[in-house]
Amino acid sequence: MGGDDAGEGMLARAMRVLHCFSDDRPALTAAELGRRTGLATSTLHRLLAQLTDFGLLARGPGRTYTIGSRLWELGELSPLSLRLRETALPHMSRLYEATGENVHLAVLDAPTPETATALFVGRVTGQDSIPTLSRMGGRQPLHTTGVGKALLSTRQDDWLDRYFAVPLERETTHSITSESGLRADLARARSRGYATTREEMTLGNISVAAPLAHVDGLPPVAIGIVVHLERADERRLGPLVVQSAKDIAAALRAA
């Protein structure tokens, strides 16, 4: 962002500040926020004071700022939390109990197909589950994650044409980055009802995921599990994940 913020509205400036926070940098100093936003020092300090007063930011250790509790509270009012996650949690817990593996719930976040990602909105894990990169509120690529592929399998050809216009990044040596390879993988996912990844996001891990049928008022949704390669049984896990997707969709429609 450039330093000239003349004519920019207060909300736009506030979003410039909030967008500076990330998984890697959840706490930032005013100086770091100034460099990242390019806002004038006086404007930035005034804005930080207001955001803190409203609870959208909070003061952290070492003169840092973090995301505030009021922003988290407002986020919990989203249908992704109140409707989707709360309805899905009992079914996710049952899937965890049946498998003992990480269970993820994700939605398609797609302002445009070119910028689409998998947004993780729910997670159930346990002591014996393998470590994963995902977290609630985090994003992962569509083409290297099980839930991401499941979401891609619901898209029409014209949408996918735009998605493939952007080169796919390789996360591991096993990532599928060619359009032809991924389209073939998506065709297999549609035919069997679930998608898989094999060490495509994290070495040693396999993911099995299924999309939910369309639910009015919600973006496309997928549920998946992540399993270590050595104990993955796709023939057993696939039907369990598909049934969970069906159960969650039915519960959402009945709610």
Side-chain angles (χ1 to χ4, degrees):
M1 294 287 186
D4 183 8
D5 53 280
E8 186 178 37
M10 184 61 73
L11 180 57
R13 296 176 191 174
M15 291 305 297
R16 285 169 66 176
V17 171
L18 295 175
H19 281 154
C20 290
F21 296 91
S22 65
D23 287 353
D24 295 331
R25 298 303 305 272
L28 295 165
T29 65
E32 290 170 327
L33 288 167
R35 287 193 295 270
R36 290 175 177 230
T37 61
L39 291 170
T41 301
S42 59
T43 300
L44 177 64
H45 282 282
R46 197 162 52 244
L47 188 55
L48 290 176
Q50 291 177 325
L51 290 172
T52 303
D53 287 343
F54 286 126
L56 303 181
L57 290 181
R59 294 188 181 276
R63 297 186 177 181
T64 60
Y65 290 87
T66 64
I67 295 297
S69 58
R70 180 58 176 157
L71 193 56
W72 170 81
E73 183 182 1
L74 290 171
E76 287 295 291
L77 297 177
S78 164
L80 298 181
S81 295
L82 283 180
R83 185 182 177 198
L84 174 57
R85 190 184 67 210
E86 293 306 307
T87 301
L89 270 174
H91 304 280
M92 296 172 66
S93 296
R94 279 197 287 273
L95 183 58
Y96 170 77
E97 290 166 2
T99 63
E101 306 293 350
N102 288 294
V103 180
H104 295 147
L105 189 71
V107 299
L108 181 67
D109 187 46
T112 67
E114 295 87 348
T115 59
T117 58
L119 175 62
F120 287 76
V121 297
R123 184 169 183 253
V124 176
T125 188
Q127 185 174 359
D128 296 327
S129 302
I130 58 173
T132 63
L133 298 175
S134 63
R135 65 168 181 83
M136 285 202 296
R139 299 174 185 275
Q140 295 290 350
L142 294 170
H143 66 292
T144 57
T145 57
V147 287
K149 283 189 186 179
L151 292 168
L152 281 176
S153 72
T154 68
R155 301 298 87 198
Q156 300 297 320
D157 284 341
D158 56 346
W159 193 99
L160 289 173
D161 289 342
R162 292 181 58 187
Y163 173 76
F164 284 118
V166 178
L168 301 177
E169 295 186 8
R170 187 176 299 279
E171 301 292 338
T172 74
T173 57
H174 301 282
S175 301
I176 300 174
T177 57
S178 70
E179 178 177 350
S180 60
L182 188 53
R183 282 189 184 272
D185 209 19
L186 296 179
R188 286 190 291 269
R190 294 187 189 103
S191 67
R192 65 192 174 195
Y194 63 88
T196 61
T197 62
R198 297 182 66 85
E199 302 188 278
E200 294 166 46
M201 187 69 194
T202 305
L203 294 177
N205 291 357
I206 287 179
S207 180
V208 180
L212 275 64
H214 173 73
V215 179
D216 288 341
L218 291 174
V221 185
I223 184 172
I225 59 176
V226 181
V227 190
H228 193 277
L229 181 66
E230 293 181 352
R231 58 176 185 254
D233 183 354
E234 182 183 320
R235 288 177 296 180
R236 171 177 172 265
L237 297 175
L240 289 174
V241 174
V242 170
Q243 187 60 51
S244 294
K246 292 179 179 178
D247 292 344
I248 294 171
L252 286 166
R253 292 196 182 98

PDB file of all heavy atoms in Angstrom, residues 219-234:
ATOM      1  N   PRO A 219     -21.984 -21.050   1.813  1.00  0.00           N
ATOM      2  CA  PRO A 219     -21.097 -21.339   0.676  1.00  0.00           C
ATOM      3  C   PRO A 219     -20.894 -22.849   0.559  1.00  0.00           C
ATOM      4  O   PRO A 219     -21.320 -23.601   1.457  1.00  0.00           O
ATOM      5  CB  PRO A 219     -19.800 -20.627   1.071  1.00  0.00           C
ATOM      6  CG  PRO A 219     -19.827 -20.597   2.561  1.00  0.00           C
ATOM      7  CD  PRO A 219     -21.269 -20.446   2.941  1.00  0.00           C
ATOM      8  N   PRO A 220     -20.282 -23.338  -0.490  1.00  0.00           N
ATOM      9  CA  PRO A 220     -19.964 -24.763  -0.580  1.00  0.00           C
ATOM     10  C   PRO A 220     -19.148 -25.225   0.622  1.00  0.00           C
ATOM     11  O   PRO A 220     -18.237 -24.533   1.075  1.00  0.00           O
ATOM     12  CB  PRO A 220     -19.161 -24.859  -1.880  1.00  0.00           C
ATOM     13  CG  PRO A 220     -19.645 -23.710  -2.697  1.00  0.00           C
ATOM     14  CD  PRO A 220     -19.902 -22.604  -1.720  1.00  0.00           C
ATOM     15  N   VAL A 221     -19.489 -26.405   1.141  1.00  0.00           N
ATOM     16  CA  VAL A 221     -18.890 -26.932   2.370  1.00  0.00           C
ATOM     17  C   VAL A 221     -18.321 -28.324   2.104  1.00  0.00           C
ATOM     18  O   VAL A 221     -18.875 -29.096   1.310  1.00  0.00           O
ATOM     19  CB  VAL A 221     -19.936 -27.027   3.499  1.00  0.00           C
ATOM     20  CG1 VAL A 221     -19.275 -27.459   4.813  1.00  0.00           C
ATOM     21  CG2 VAL A 221     -20.681 -25.716   3.680  1.00  0.00           C
ATOM     22  N   ALA A 222     -17.224 -28.651   2.785  1.00  0.00           N
ATOM     23  CA  ALA A 222     -16.660 -30.003   2.708  1.00  0.00           C
ATOM     24  C   ALA A 222     -16.169 -30.417   4.086  1.00  0.00           C
ATOM     25  O   ALA A 222     -15.744 -29.583   4.892  1.00  0.00           O
ATOM     26  CB  ALA A 222     -15.514 -30.071   1.700  1.00  0.00           C
ATOM     27  N   ILE A 223     -16.238 -31.717   4.355  1.00  0.00           N
ATOM     28  CA  ILE A 223     -15.701 -32.280   5.587  1.00  0.00           C
ATOM     29  C   ILE A 223     -14.647 -33.305   5.220  1.00  0.00           C
ATOM     30  O   ILE A 223     -14.779 -34.011   4.207  1.00  0.00           O
ATOM     31  CB  ILE A 223     -16.812 -32.930   6.450  1.00  0.00           C
ATOM     32  CG1 ILE A 223     -16.231 -33.427   7.777  1.00  0.00           C
ATOM     33  CG2 ILE A 223     -17.543 -34.042   5.701  1.00  0.00           C
ATOM     34  CD1 ILE A 223     -17.282 -33.912   8.763  1.00  0.00           C
ATOM     35  N   GLY A 224     -13.580 -33.367   5.995  1.00  0.00           N
ATOM     36  CA  GLY A 224     -12.509 -34.302   5.675  1.00  0.00           C
ATOM     37  C   GLY A 224     -11.740 -34.735   6.899  1.00  0.00           C
ATOM     38  O   GLY A 224     -11.879 -34.157   7.985  1.00  0.00           O
ATOM     39  N   ILE A 225     -10.950 -35.766   6.733  1.00  0.00           N
ATOM     40  CA  ILE A 225     -10.060 -36.231   7.788  1.00  0.00           C
ATOM     41  C   ILE A 225      -8.642 -36.302   7.234  1.00  0.00           C
ATOM     42  O   ILE A 225      -8.437 -36.466   6.036  1.00  0.00           O
ATOM     43  CB  ILE A 225     -10.477 -37.600   8.363  1.00  0.00           C
ATOM     44  CG1 ILE A 225     -10.487 -38.665   7.259  1.00  0.00           C
ATOM     45  CG2 ILE A 225     -11.838 -37.518   9.021  1.00  0.00           C
ATOM     46  CD1 ILE A 225     -10.785 -40.045   7.790  1.00  0.00           C
ATOM     47  N   VAL A 226      -7.673 -36.159   8.123  1.00  0.00           N
ATOM     48  CA  VAL A 226      -6.256 -36.261   7.766  1.00  0.00           C
ATOM     49  C   VAL A 226      -5.660 -37.400   8.582  1.00  0.00           C
ATOM     50  O   VAL A 226      -5.798 -37.432   9.803  1.00  0.00           O
ATOM     51  CB  VAL A 226      -5.504 -34.945   8.043  1.00  0.00           C
ATOM     52  CG1 VAL A 226      -4.041 -35.088   7.647  1.00  0.00           C
ATOM     53  CG2 VAL A 226      -6.148 -33.795   7.289  1.00  0.00           C
ATOM     54  N   VAL A 227      -4.996 -38.312   7.886  1.00  0.00           N
ATOM     55  CA  VAL A 227      -4.510 -39.550   8.485  1.00  0.00           C
ATOM     56  C   VAL A 227      -3.046 -39.739   8.104  1.00  0.00           C
ATOM     57  O   VAL A 227      -2.619 -39.337   7.022  1.00  0.00           O
ATOM     58  CB  VAL A 227      -5.323 -40.754   7.961  1.00  0.00           C
ATOM     59  CG1 VAL A 227      -5.006 -42.010   8.752  1.00  0.00           C
ATOM     60  CG2 VAL A 227      -6.805 -40.458   7.998  1.00  0.00           C
ATOM     61  N   HIS A 228      -2.300 -40.382   8.987  1.00  0.00           N
ATOM     62  CA  HIS A 228      -0.924 -40.717   8.630  1.00  0.00           C
ATOM     63  C   HIS A 228      -0.923 -41.808   7.573  1.00  0.00           C
ATOM     64  O   HIS A 228      -1.767 -42.714   7.578  1.00  0.00           O
ATOM     65  CB  HIS A 228      -0.136 -41.181   9.856  1.00  0.00           C
ATOM     66  CG  HIS A 228       1.341 -41.232   9.625  1.00  0.00           C
ATOM     67  ND1 HIS A 228       1.974 -42.299   9.025  1.00  0.00           N
ATOM     68  CD2 HIS A 228       2.323 -40.318   9.872  1.00  0.00           C
ATOM     69  CE1 HIS A 228       3.270 -42.059   8.935  1.00  0.00           C
ATOM     70  NE2 HIS A 228       3.504 -40.868   9.443  1.00  0.00           N
ATOM     71  N   LEU A 229       0.022 -41.716   6.669  1.00  0.00           N
ATOM     72  CA  LEU A 229       0.109 -42.632   5.537  1.00  0.00           C
ATOM     73  C   LEU A 229       0.082 -44.093   5.972  1.00  0.00           C
ATOM     74  O   LEU A 229      -0.570 -44.933   5.349  1.00  0.00           O
ATOM     75  CB  LEU A 229       1.402 -42.324   4.766  1.00  0.00           C
ATOM     76  CG  LEU A 229       1.693 -43.143   3.507  1.00  0.00           C
ATOM     77  CD1 LEU A 229       0.665 -42.843   2.443  1.00  0.00           C
ATOM     78  CD2 LEU A 229       3.092 -42.820   2.985  1.00  0.00           C
ATOM     79  N   GLU A 230       0.749 -44.404   7.062  1.00  0.00           N
ATOM     80  CA  GLU A 230       0.898 -45.800   7.470  1.00  0.00           C
ATOM     81  C   GLU A 230      -0.401 -46.419   7.973  1.00  0.00           C
ATOM     82  O   GLU A 230      -0.539 -47.650   7.971  1.00  0.00           O
ATOM     83  CB  GLU A 230       1.977 -45.915   8.549  1.00  0.00           C
ATOM     84  CG  GLU A 230       3.384 -45.589   8.053  1.00  0.00           C
ATOM     85  CD  GLU A 230       4.424 -45.730   9.138  1.00  0.00           C
ATOM     86  OE1 GLU A 230       4.026 -45.934  10.313  1.00  0.00           O
ATOM     87  OE2 GLU A 230       5.629 -45.641   8.828  1.00  0.00           O
ATOM     88  N   ARG A 231      -1.359 -45.587   8.429  1.00  0.00           N
ATOM     89  CA  ARG A 231      -2.590 -46.172   8.952  1.00  0.00           C
ATOM     90  C   ARG A 231      -3.828 -45.754   8.151  1.00  0.00           C
ATOM     91  O   ARG A 231      -4.963 -45.892   8.628  1.00  0.00           O
ATOM     92  CB  ARG A 231      -2.753 -45.811  10.436  1.00  0.00           C
ATOM     93  CG  ARG A 231      -2.795 -44.331  10.774  1.00  0.00           C
ATOM     94  CD  ARG A 231      -3.053 -44.169  12.272  1.00  0.00           C
ATOM     95  NE  ARG A 231      -3.231 -42.784  12.664  1.00  0.00           N
ATOM     96  CZ  ARG A 231      -2.329 -42.079  13.321  1.00  0.00           C
ATOM     97  NH1 ARG A 231      -1.171 -42.647  13.639  1.00  0.00           N
ATOM     98  NH2 ARG A 231      -2.566 -40.825  13.665  1.00  0.00           N
ATOM     99  N   ALA A 232      -3.611 -45.276   6.945  1.00  0.00           N
ATOM    100  CA  ALA A 232      -4.721 -44.837   6.104  1.00  0.00           C
ATOM    101  C   ALA A 232      -5.373 -46.031   5.407  1.00  0.00           C
ATOM    102  O   ALA A 232      -4.686 -46.823   4.762  1.00  0.00           O
ATOM    103  CB  ALA A 232      -4.238 -43.831   5.075  1.00  0.00           C
ATOM    104  N   ASP A 233      -6.683 -46.141   5.546  1.00  0.00           N
ATOM    105  CA  ASP A 233      -7.470 -47.174   4.861  1.00  0.00           C
ATOM    106  C   ASP A 233      -8.584 -46.453   4.119  1.00  0.00           C
ATOM    107  O   ASP A 233      -9.668 -46.237   4.655  1.00  0.00           O
ATOM    108  CB  ASP A 233      -8.024 -48.176   5.869  1.00  0.00           C
ATOM    109  CG  ASP A 233      -8.790 -49.311   5.216  1.00  0.00           C
ATOM    110  OD1 ASP A 233      -8.991 -49.259   3.980  1.00  0.00           O
ATOM    111  OD2 ASP A 233      -9.215 -50.237   5.925  1.00  0.00           O
ATOM    112  N   GLU A 234      -8.295 -46.075   2.879  1.00  0.00           N
ATOM    113  CA  GLU A 234      -9.231 -45.255   2.106  1.00  0.00           C
ATOM    114  C   GLU A 234     -10.576 -45.947   1.921  1.00  0.00           C
ATOM    115  O   GLU A 234     -11.626 -45.302   1.966  1.00  0.00           O
ATOM    116  CB  GLU A 234      -8.613 -44.937   0.748  1.00  0.00           C
ATOM    117  CG  GLU A 234      -9.467 -44.052  -0.125  1.00  0.00           C
ATOM    118  CD  GLU A 234      -8.841 -43.842  -1.485  1.00  0.00           C
ATOM    119  OE1 GLU A 234      -7.603 -43.678  -1.544  1.00  0.00           O
ATOM    120  OE2 GLU A 234      -9.587 -43.851  -2.481  1.00  0.00           O
TER     121      GLU A 234
END
